[in-house]
Amino acid sequence: MTGREEPLTLDAVHSGLLRLGQVIELGPCRVGGRPPEVEDCWFSLGKAQVVEQLSPKAFWSRLEASAQGSLAEVFGEGLRPHRTTLALPAGTGRASLGDLRVEGLRLRVEVHQNQASLRAHFRVSDCPDELSVAVVDLRFYKAWGSCGYRLDVGKVNWVNRALRSSRAILSVGLSRAKALGSQEPLHWLQVNGVHLESDPLWAH
């Protein structure tokens, strides 16, 4: 996590310090958070340095080694269904980040009130129904105008085509606790990254 004076940008994700597959030395940092965000780490972007760029094969090998076969193995047993997705009560859970093996993955663009959003539809071993989960992977977005961004539908279509013949691993996470409508605050399941065996670093 970085301070408010160091906002993350699309450039940092697409081609800069936080490009996929880079091993980074964070420099001085403060580690520790409250459940489920036990992985939280505060650092300065200005002091972080790239140590190594992993090859596609090496990056996929690390994903395979870290990926779990169920949501319970990633987050614990507390996830509960909410419509088409899952959520945890505020302040609970053993982690907020992890990698997950899924089946039947496909991406779908949905439009509500003229605003496009991206959702991942997939099956996982410990959930009887197909899930529809918000995707927050910044690689699916591109700069738009002077200070905005919008969904890159071409990239969504490319990933969906690749999924016809490629295995995938999802980096999944839990949102900060937030209430929707009159509900109690919950940590909502989200997809932080979509990784393809056929092109792990999206070098297409």
Side-chain angles (χ1 to χ4, degrees), residues 1-186:
M1 299 178 65
T2 61
R4 292 184 178 180
E5 70 279 5
E6 294 183 307
L8 298 180
T9 65
L10 290 179
D11 286 341
V13 173
H14 287 307
S15 59
L17 179 68
L18 302 180
R19 184 174 57 198
L20 198 67
Q22 291 191 146
V23 179
I24 301 171
E25 171 56 56
L26 296 180
C29 58
R30 179 166 58 90
V31 179
R34 291 180 292 182
E37 296 102 2
V38 296
E39 314 90 349
D40 278 3
C41 178
W42 287 262
F43 68 98
S44 170
L45 280 175
K47 296 180 181 179
Q49 295 183 333
V50 176
V51 175
E52 178 186 4
Q53 172 66 55
L54 296 178
S55 68
K57 182 178 180 180
F59 181 66
W60 183 257
S61 293
R62 293 197 182 192
L63 281 172
E64 285 196 305
S66 66
Q68 304 296 326
S70 70
L71 288 162
E73 290 176 280
V74 177
F75 301 116
E77 300 290 345
L79 280 169
R80 297 292 180 264
H82 288 267
R83 296 187 178 180
T84 63
T85 187
L86 302 168
L88 268 175
T92 67
R94 71 184 186 197
S96 66
L97 298 169
D99 296 316
L100 182 68
R101 300 185 190 91
V102 299
E103 298 291 337
L105 175 64
R106 66 189 188 282
L107 305 178
R108 182 176 296 169
V109 178
E110 299 182 1
V111 179
H112 298 284
Q113 298 181 342
N114 295 321
Q115 183 70 36
S117 62
L118 184 61
R119 298 190 74 83
H121 294 248
F122 59 89
R123 298 185 303 276
V124 66
S125 63
D126 56 344
C127 187
D129 300 317
E130 181 180 84
L131 295 173
S132 172
V133 178
V135 178
V136 297
D137 187 340
L138 287 178
R139 295 173 299 161
F140 284 108
Y141 292 84
K142 59 184 178 181
W144 180 250
S146 59
C147 58
Y149 59 90
R150 70 174 183 178
L151 189 63
D152 188 341
V153 177
K155 194 159 287 184
V156 175
N157 292 338
W158 169 75
V159 170
N160 274 332
R161 287 193 298 270
L163 287 170
R164 297 172 187 169
S165 58
S166 177
R167 289 194 301 151
I169 291 174
L170 296 181
S171 289
V172 290
L174 297 172
S175 71
R176 298 300 186 187
K178 57 185 177 182
L180 298 182
S182 61
Q183 293 182 339
E184 62 177 325
L186 299 169

